[in-house]
Amino acid sequence: MDAGPGRHGYNIAPMNPTPSTSSRATQDLHVQSTTPLISPAELDKKIELTEDVRQTVLESRDAIKQVLLGQDPRLIAIVGPCSIHDEKAALEYAGRLAEVQREVASTMLIVMRVYFEKPRTTVGWKGLIYDPHLDDSFDINAGLHAARRILLAVNKLGLPAATEFLDPIVPQYIDDLVSWAAIGARTTESQTHRQMASGLSMPVGYKNSTTGELQVAIDAMISARSPHAFLGIDHHGRSCIVQTTGNKWGHVILRGGPGQPNYEPAAVAAAAARLQKAGLSPTLMVDCSHANSGKKFERQEVVFNSVIAQRTAGNAQIIGLMLESNLFEGRQELCPDLAKMRYGVSVTDECLGWEKTAELLRSAHATLS
């Protein structure tokens, strides 16, 4: 019998006898190819941690811990692009932020947001590590090189770096250059990410879920404080059993939910009370973007100003904030012709422009002083 059109117009091949069991593969049925990956140790040798950078990382991690303990009165400010897609623009931004950091150092501990992995609700560009050429070539080896190179350059400015860890293998490649990490709203509920966080070397922020639910972040904190054993890789890229001690340096991040922000005083107080009831420190960070701003870059200013007002009113439970900012405001779509893309404009979420960012940071410094 010849093949004929199906109900939706597709060609339907005639039925063939089932191949014998011995000739049928049972694995990699949907794997197109595999490519060897550079090991963390090899990448470290190519892009080596220098002593000045080591000191920046260690000192900034310690400073963040002191803020979490209530022994450093400064406000942590995680500031920078929603995602890094252009190395030149990222380093220009870092240079500008480092200058402001020195101006406001007595009131704010600024950490640059240097995000290379983007969790997607369905599909989309996954970040610089996965697709550094922005063309679906998925040159992950090049992406890892770029990420480590950028982090090294940012830290050389004396500017600590923050990132979100998504793939549990990635920390082996870059975590020695990261001072603060986030577990995102889509992954806070994941056991894999809670296990990973238990072994990270820096303080970690856990976002409430995309639905606005805080309990998943509280559960993540509790889980990550405990020891875990799980599958991973070692520094030489070998598969191994990873055993961790647990990471007690955690806090929640309020990022709002659908149509419901959670940065206002009543929401902050309710979150702090739930943390205390769970036996955790009632300290938290506020994300000025995402659902708290309705993903509108200009509304981040409203959230930012509310956080500063709450701090000056005596609310020490808010230990930090997050601000999505780039050289220029707004966002743009990825374009096949990269020459047509606007320099310094986000390709993921909308960001504040640099001028407004600097104005907000300097204004907050004056207020907090």
Side-chain angles (χ1 to χ4, degrees):
M1 182 176 69
D2 293 333
R7 185 162 61 92
H8 298 290
Y10 302 116
N11 287 327
I12 301 175
M15 295 284 289
N16 292 318
T18 303
S20 64
T21 303
S22 62
S23 67
R24 297 181 67 191
T26 58
Q27 66 179 154
D28 292 343
L29 300 183
H30 301 290
V31 174
Q32 187 179 55
S33 66
T34 60
T35 303
L37 192 64
I38 190 171
S39 74
E42 290 172 314
L43 185 59
D44 282 2
K45 286 181 181 178
K46 288 187 174 185
I47 306 173
E48 196 170 0
L49 181 71
T50 57
E51 190 55 38
D52 57 335
V53 168
R54 188 193 312 277
Q55 288 305 310
T56 294
V57 173
L58 292 174
E59 289 171 9
S60 55
R61 286 179 182 173
D62 286 343
I64 293 168
K65 291 174 183 178
Q66 293 303 305
V67 172
L68 294 176
L69 290 171
Q71 296 173 2
D72 185 330
R74 290 181 296 172
L75 183 72
I76 300 168
I78 311 293
V79 183
C82 174
S83 59
I84 302 295
H85 73 277
D86 179 339
E87 186 168 347
K88 179 182 176 183
L91 297 184
E92 180 180 339
Y93 184 97
R96 295 185 186 187
L97 188 62
E99 290 182 13
V100 174
Q101 174 209 35
R102 289 188 284 271
E103 293 178 34
V104 306
S106 63
T107 61
M108 283 184 282
L109 175 55
I110 293 183
V111 184
M112 181 170 163
R113 181 185 168 106
V114 191
Y115 278 36
F116 303 115
E117 302 180 87
K118 295 304 298 178
R120 315 307 305 197
T121 302
T122 53
V123 293
W125 184 67
K126 295 179 181 179
L128 191 78
I129 284 178
Y130 303 97
D131 189 19
H133 310 306
L134 312 182
D135 60 359
D136 289 342
S137 59
F138 304 110
D139 188 354
I140 294 177
N141 276 312
L144 289 168
H145 279 78
R148 189 164 179 84
R149 189 168 58 241
I150 292 167
L151 285 169
L152 189 70
V154 169
N155 277 282
K156 274 189 170 295
L157 295 169
L159 185 62
T163 200
E164 177 180 339
F165 284 121
L166 186 59
D167 190 296
I169 289 176
V170 166
Q172 287 283 13
Y173 290 90
I174 61 173
D175 75 342
D176 57 330
L177 295 166
V178 175
S179 296
W180 178 92
I183 305 298
R186 293 170 182 80
T187 48
T188 298
E189 198 167 5
S190 156
Q191 176 174 306
T192 297
H193 292 83
R194 293 174 179 186
Q195 292 172 165
M196 176 184 70
S198 76
L200 290 177
S201 301
M202 71 292 296
V204 179
Y206 304 88
K207 287 195 174 183
N208 65 249
S209 73
T210 54
T211 65
E213 176 53 52
L214 180 63
Q215 190 59 46
V216 294
I218 292 174
D219 292 344
M221 280 183 64
I222 293 171
S223 174
R225 290 166 68 93
S226 302
H228 286 277
F230 53 93
L231 302 179
I233 65 167
D234 66 12
H235 210 56
H236 297 284
R238 298 172 300 201
S239 298
C240 62
I241 300 167
V242 180
Q243 291 188 296
T244 70
T245 62
N247 185 354
K248 68 178 182 179
W249 300 106
H251 61 86
V252 300
I253 305 170
L254 302 182
R255 50 89 72 195
Q260 188 62 50
N262 57 8
Y263 66 86
E264 294 167 331
V268 169
R274 287 183 64 179
L275 285 163
Q276 203 154 23
K277 185 177 180 181
L280 300 169
S281 173
T283 54
L284 48 86
M285 182 177 284
V286 172
D287 182 355
C288 296
S289 186
H290 298 100
N292 274 334
S293 65
K295 288 198 171 182
K296 297 298 180 183
F297 73 86
E298 61 271 20
R299 283 201 55 81
Q300 287 193 79
E301 182 177 357
V302 175
V303 184
F304 183 95
N305 288 333
S306 174
V307 170
I308 300 304
Q310 291 179 62
R311 281 279 298 202
T312 54
N315 187 346
Q317 293 169 331
I318 300 177
I319 51 88
L321 56 80
M322 303 182 73
L323 196 66
E324 291 196 341
S325 157
N326 215 317
L327 293 174
F328 300 101
E329 66 185 31
R331 69 174 300 275
Q332 63 183 325
E333 296 293 337
L334 282 174
C335 176
D337 184 354
L338 300 182
K340 293 181 179 179
M341 294 183 63
R342 290 175 288 159
Y343 178 72
V345 177
S346 174
V347 298
T348 45
D349 288 350
E350 295 182 4
C351 290
L352 284 171
W354 171 254
E355 299 303 326
K356 175 56 70 173
T357 301
E359 176 189 319
L360 288 175
L361 293 173
R362 289 180 174 124
S363 173
H365 171 64
T367 301
L368 294 169
S369 294

